[in-house]
Amino acid sequence: MKHVFIMNPSSGKKKKRIAFVENLKASAEALGADYSLYYTKGAGDGQRYAKELCAEHDARGEKLRLYGCGGDGTINELVNGAFGFENVEIGAIPLGTGNDYVRNYGDVSDFLNITGQIRGASVPSDLIRYRAEYEGHITEGYCANMFNIGFDCNVVDLTARVKSLPFISGSLAYLISVGIILIKKKGADLRIEYADGSVSDGKILLTAIANGCYCGGGVKGVPYCSLDDGLMDVSVIKNVSRLFFVALFPSYAKGIHMEKKAIQKRDVINYTKEKTLTVTANGESLRLCTDGEITTQKRIEFSMVKDGFRFILPEGL
């Protein structure tokens, strides 16, 4: 079996990337593993390279393992490149800022064990398929972890800029961005069409369409997700006041907000499990965050792909 490590050279901290490369070489050679390391050259290159590798190995009937070395966006590229090919397994070496997908299975540190990764086994994971439209342009693809619209998406958008400032870490950048976006109270104005025919129409604070529980570097905003149940979890928080959201956020980050009496009494969150969903901007457009990557769209159709790929869990996890 070939082990290919596909690395985003811009993810995370330089020291962490250097340590990973040294660890990879030592661990793979000690195990006698057939491995290679590829550095992506820009956005979309990981998807392109993954697709080419999968086609080559599929034609020869060979098994292939691809490891996304970066953040959630790197995993997303590999998932989209490998979709539809047999005998391909995808792993994650969390070198990015958020690293939210792996948190659904264990601690981020568990996935930095290269020996454990190479010796690990894979499990099935669902994907969310999406078809988005904006100004006549159609975008189609797959998401492993989560889509965000409204507050969460705006925070991710701002975090990318804040963390580029000196002495600002990824987690601190996220908290600063939460504060700024909360002051602006930027949400979204949406029409949300559910599979049962019901419709939610109007201003909301945020919407999460999720396969996994976490976003923003460990915020457990969609706590009831299962990665292999064939359903997406849809959480819509209504346009609540700033003070209410400030009071809600600590429990929201821990994933215990749905248990709070204040939430249940005021009916401020609509949380459902769906196989399909359609979201349309009531205005000209909306901002869509797909596993950390942000685009502008008008209308998006979501649907589930049961067992869309196989994900590698490190040995012992």
Side-chain angles (χ1 to χ4, degrees):
M1 182 188 297
K2 179 75 172 183
H3 301 263
V4 181
F5 294 80
I6 300 176
M7 185 174 181
N8 179 353
S10 300
S11 285
K13 297 180 179 179
K14 184 177 180 180
K15 288 184 178 180
K16 195 173 183 179
R17 296 195 302 270
I18 292 172
F20 157 70
V21 173
E22 294 174 350
N23 185 17
L24 169 61
K25 183 177 180 180
S27 300
E29 290 181 358
L31 293 172
D34 181 9
Y35 82 101
S36 63
L37 174 62
Y38 177 80
Y39 293 91
T40 59
K41 299 174 176 62
D45 188 52
Q47 179 174 336
R48 177 201 61 78
Y49 185 65
K51 188 171 184 178
E52 288 180 1
L53 282 178
C54 289
E56 291 174 7
H57 285 261
D58 186 67
R60 296 195 294 262
E62 298 172 347
K63 290 186 177 181
L64 175 65
R65 279 190 168 187
L66 303 176
Y67 302 82
C69 309
D72 294 305
T74 306
I75 300 171
N76 183 274
E77 287 202 21
L78 301 197
V79 164
N80 279 274
F83 183 80
F85 290 99
E86 300 292 334
N87 298 321
V88 179
E89 298 173 344
I90 295 175
I93 312 295
L95 302 178
T97 302
N99 305 311
D100 286 303
Y101 183 77
V102 300
R103 298 176 194 271
N104 293 291
Y105 295 100
D107 294 333
V108 171
S109 59
D110 294 328
F111 288 82
L112 296 173
N113 182 344
I114 306 304
T115 299
Q117 289 269 22
I118 293 174
R119 288 178 170 173
S122 66
V123 296
S125 177
D126 299 337
L127 289 172
I128 304 177
R129 178 189 286 117
Y130 69 101
R131 183 182 186 276
E133 180 181 353
Y134 179 64
E135 294 184 340
H137 178 71
I138 303 297
T139 303
E140 295 180 298
Y142 303 88
C143 173
N145 189 53
M146 188 181 298
F147 298 92
N148 301 98
I149 303 170
F151 183 90
D152 282 349
C153 181
N154 297 328
V155 168
V156 171
D157 203 358
L158 183 58
T159 299
R161 286 174 277 162
V162 172
K163 72 179 182 181
S164 66
L165 299 174
F167 311 113
I168 303 294
S169 66
S171 57
L172 179 58
Y174 181 81
L175 291 175
I176 291 172
S177 300
V178 166
I180 294 172
I181 297 299
L182 186 59
I183 291 171
K184 293 182 177 181
K185 201 168 181 284
K186 288 181 67 178
D189 190 356
L190 308 173
R191 177 181 173 83
I192 304 172
E193 302 171 60
Y194 295 89
D196 65 359
S198 61
V199 175
S200 174
D201 201 330
K203 292 183 178 180
I204 54 94
L205 183 66
L206 65 88
T207 297
I209 300 108
N211 190 37
C213 297
Y214 299 91
C215 68
V219 175
K220 197 174 183 180
V222 195
Y224 304 140
C225 287
S226 173
L227 291 112
D228 58 0
D229 63 354
L231 297 168
M232 67 184 88
D233 286 39
V234 180
S235 177
V236 181
I237 299 183
K238 298 177 182 178
N239 195 28
V240 297
S241 69
R242 292 179 180 87
L243 287 177
F244 187 87
F245 188 70
V246 168
L248 168 67
F249 191 77
S251 59
Y252 179 78
K254 295 176 183 177
I256 58 174
H257 55 289
M258 297 298 294
E259 304 164 18
K260 298 293 182 180
K261 290 183 179 179
I263 298 296
Q264 297 167 359
K265 286 182 179 180
R266 295 183 59 174
D267 188 31
V268 296
I269 301 179
N270 186 29
Y271 193 115
T272 63
K273 287 181 175 284
E274 309 287 339
K275 286 190 175 181
T276 62
L277 189 81
T278 300
V279 176
T280 306
N282 282 328
E284 291 183 2
S285 63
L286 58 83
R287 297 284 275 168
L288 176 70
C289 181
T290 307
D291 284 346
E293 303 301 317
I294 298 175
T295 59
T296 299
Q297 307 295 349
K298 172 64 178 180
R299 174 184 170 88
I300 313 108
E301 298 173 354
F302 304 94
S303 60
M304 290 304 300
V305 181
K306 185 77 171 72
D307 300 340
F309 76 109
R310 295 195 66 85
F311 182 66
I312 302 163
L313 294 184
E315 184 182 49
L317 193 63

